């Protein structure tokens, strides 16, 4: 199956979201799409039905979070990345930040190790542990398909530095993301300032919880 996009198309699509990608970064994203299609789908990490729409459904969707990183961000944890989403996409798009992919399941760890090596990523590590057992602090924690928002905040809040932020990929089923996030912050271990960012009109918003 051919690649979903060409390098110029990937660069242009990222630019439309306010993200600057080099040709090498775009090439890595296309290579990652091939890995998802040819290795992750057969392993059951992505559904067979997703194979024709990996670019839009997974790569572009993950790329949205790159708009929320700043030059001051040095360390990020990605909780439960599965097939590397969004963590590996963000590691390509935000090369100055070091990403730790927190994934305890063996099959997924094997795929992540293959992808990191195949993409030549030097800013990416894999933590083969449950997120609840993770130590350390980061500027950003990302979560795309990890857990409901209240549980995600409970885990993420202790991993964030002061003023660090959780970037949570809200699904269509989360009808009141701000309200849910505010309740999670009020009931959780740490307070937070809550906001949302709708990067693409066709996608649900990203929920940002900044630790006070």
């Amino acid at each position: 199956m051919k690649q979903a996009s060409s390098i110029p198309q990937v660069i242009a699509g990222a630019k439309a979201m306010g993200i600057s990608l080099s040709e090498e970064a775009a090439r890595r994203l296309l290579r990652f799409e091939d890995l998802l299609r040819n290795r992750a789908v057969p392993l059951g990490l992505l559904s067979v039905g997703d194979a024709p729409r990996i670019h839009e459904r997974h790569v572009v969707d993950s790329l949205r979070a790159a708009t929320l990183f700043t030059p001051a961000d040095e360390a990020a944890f990605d909780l439960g990345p599965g097939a590397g989403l969004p963590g590996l996409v963000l590691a390509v798009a935000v090369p100055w930040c070091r990403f730790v992919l927190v994934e305890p399941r063996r099959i997924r760890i094997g795929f992540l190790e293959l992808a990191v090596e195949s993409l030549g990523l030097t800013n990416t590590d894999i933590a083969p542990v449950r997120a609840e057992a993770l130590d350390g602090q980061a500027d950003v924690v990302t979560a795309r398909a990890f857990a409901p928002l209240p549980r995600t905040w409970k885990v993420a809040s202790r991993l964030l530095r002061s003023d660090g932020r959780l970037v949570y990929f809200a699904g269509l089923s989360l009808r009141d993301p701000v309200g849910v996030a505010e309740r999670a912050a009020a009931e959780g271990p740490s307070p937070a300032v809550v906001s949302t960012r709708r990067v693409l009109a066709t996608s649900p918003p990203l929920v940002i919880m900044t630790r006070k």
Side-chain angles (χ1 to χ4, degrees):
M1 186 179 295
K2 67 180 181 179
Q3 292 176 333
S5 301
S6 66
I7 288 174
Q9 288 172 326
V10 172
I11 292 173
K15 186 177 180 180
M17 290 189 281
I19 302 164
S20 177
L21 286 183
S22 67
E23 287 192 10
E24 178 56 31
R27 187 176 293 109
R28 280 176 166 157
L29 290 179
L30 290 174
R31 197 179 309 147
F32 182 46
E33 286 184 34
D34 284 341
L35 284 171
L36 291 174
R37 188 175 296 112
N38 298 323
R39 302 299 290 270
V41 170
L43 286 170
L45 304 184
L46 296 177
S47 71
V48 174
D50 278 352
R53 50 181 181 168
I54 282 173
H55 180 72
E56 294 80 9
R57 185 176 178 85
H58 294 296
V59 175
V60 172
D61 185 69
S62 296
L63 198 57
R64 291 184 294 146
T67 63
L68 297 171
F69 281 75
T70 74
D73 294 326
E74 297 179 351
F77 294 136
D78 184 30
L79 305 182
L85 303 161
L88 288 179
V89 174
L90 295 174
V92 171
V94 190
W96 64 86
C97 185
R98 183 149 209 94
F99 287 82
V100 177
L101 312 183
V102 187
E103 177 56 66
R105 282 164 283 195
R106 288 186 179 181
I107 291 178
R108 299 181 180 194
I109 291 167
F111 175 79
L112 294 174
E113 290 174 341
L114 169 68
V116 169
E117 181 178 358
S118 297
L119 300 177
L121 294 175
T122 59
N123 64 334
T124 309
D125 296 308
I126 300 165
V129 298
R130 290 176 56 84
E132 292 83 355
L134 188 66
D135 290 322
Q137 288 194 312
D139 303 294
V140 181
V141 171
T142 57
R144 185 171 181 261
F146 173 67
L149 183 50
R151 182 189 164 208
T152 301
W153 176 244
K154 184 177 180 180
V155 173
S157 60
R158 71 175 184 82
L159 298 173
L160 288 168
R161 300 187 177 106
S162 180
D163 292 329
R165 57 212 180 276
L166 166 67
V167 178
Y168 182 86
F169 287 67
L172 292 172
S173 62
L174 190 60
R175 299 187 180 279
D176 180 19
V178 171
V180 172
E182 288 178 342
R183 287 191 293 275
E187 298 169 3
S190 301
V193 175
V194 176
S195 61
T196 61
R197 173 80 65 85
R198 189 177 289 277
V199 180
L200 294 172
T202 55
S203 299
L206 297 168
V207 179
I208 304 101
M209 299 181 68
T210 303
R211 185 177 182 273
K212 290 184 179 178

